[in-house]
Amino acid sequence: MLNNNMENIANTSNEKGHGGARPGAGRPKGSSNRLTAKEILDTAENMLGKPFVVSLLEGYIDSINTGDTKNRVTYEKIILDKTATTIIEAEITDSTDAIQAKQAAFAEAMAKLVGVSPDAK
């Protein structure tokens, strides 16, 4: 045998003699191979010496000043994608009649489910 330690290693191969689990192999528990947005932004900030948003806006301003329409549109899409959801707010209000109609419909639906008259109190 080439390696004297081979006798001490448990047979972890499959039925064809290939593969199988190996002790200590694989990614350690709790580790992650995911790169987060925060890690990317923090790294960019450290490399640039300023917040990423400042660099982003400087690029946007440069595209305006140089007349680079293609990049300007790209910057505007990036900025609007990240800000539009926080800018747009909608307030929905129901009239008293609409609320009462919804309450009555809900009471009727619940009554059908439990077999009770919707007028019972």
Side-chain angles (χ1 to χ4, degrees):
M1 191 178 283
L2 293 175
N3 187 344
N4 294 335
N5 291 329
M6 290 296 288
E7 296 171 358
N8 298 331
I9 297 175
N11 183 6
T12 58
S13 62
N14 62 21
E15 62 276 354
K16 293 182 181 178
H18 300 289
R22 303 288 193 275
R27 184 175 41 214
K29 288 185 179 182
S31 69
S32 174
N33 64 346
R34 294 184 181 194
L35 185 62
T36 66
K38 182 174 178 3
E39 290 172 323
I40 294 170
L41 294 177
D42 289 346
T43 302
E45 185 173 328
N46 289 336
M47 292 176 72
L48 297 168
K50 54 188 160 189
F52 178 75
V53 69
V54 171
S55 299
L56 178 70
L57 293 174
E58 286 174 348
Y60 176 56
I61 292 168
D62 272 351
S63 69
I64 293 171
N65 291 337
T66 60
D68 186 349
T69 307
K70 183 179 178 184
N71 278 333
R72 179 180 178 174
V73 169
T74 301
Y75 278 109
E76 288 170 350
K77 285 181 182 177
I78 292 168
I79 293 166
L80 287 174
D81 281 348
K82 296 301 174 192
T83 59
T85 56
T86 57
I87 294 172
I88 300 170
E89 291 183 18
E91 185 177 324
I92 300 170
T93 56
D94 284 334
S95 67
T96 305
D97 291 340
I99 292 171
Q100 289 173 350
K102 288 178 183 178
Q103 287 173 336
F106 181 75
E108 185 178 336
M110 288 300 292
K112 287 180 181 176
L113 284 174
V114 295
V116 176
S117 169
D119 297 326
K121 301 242 177 187

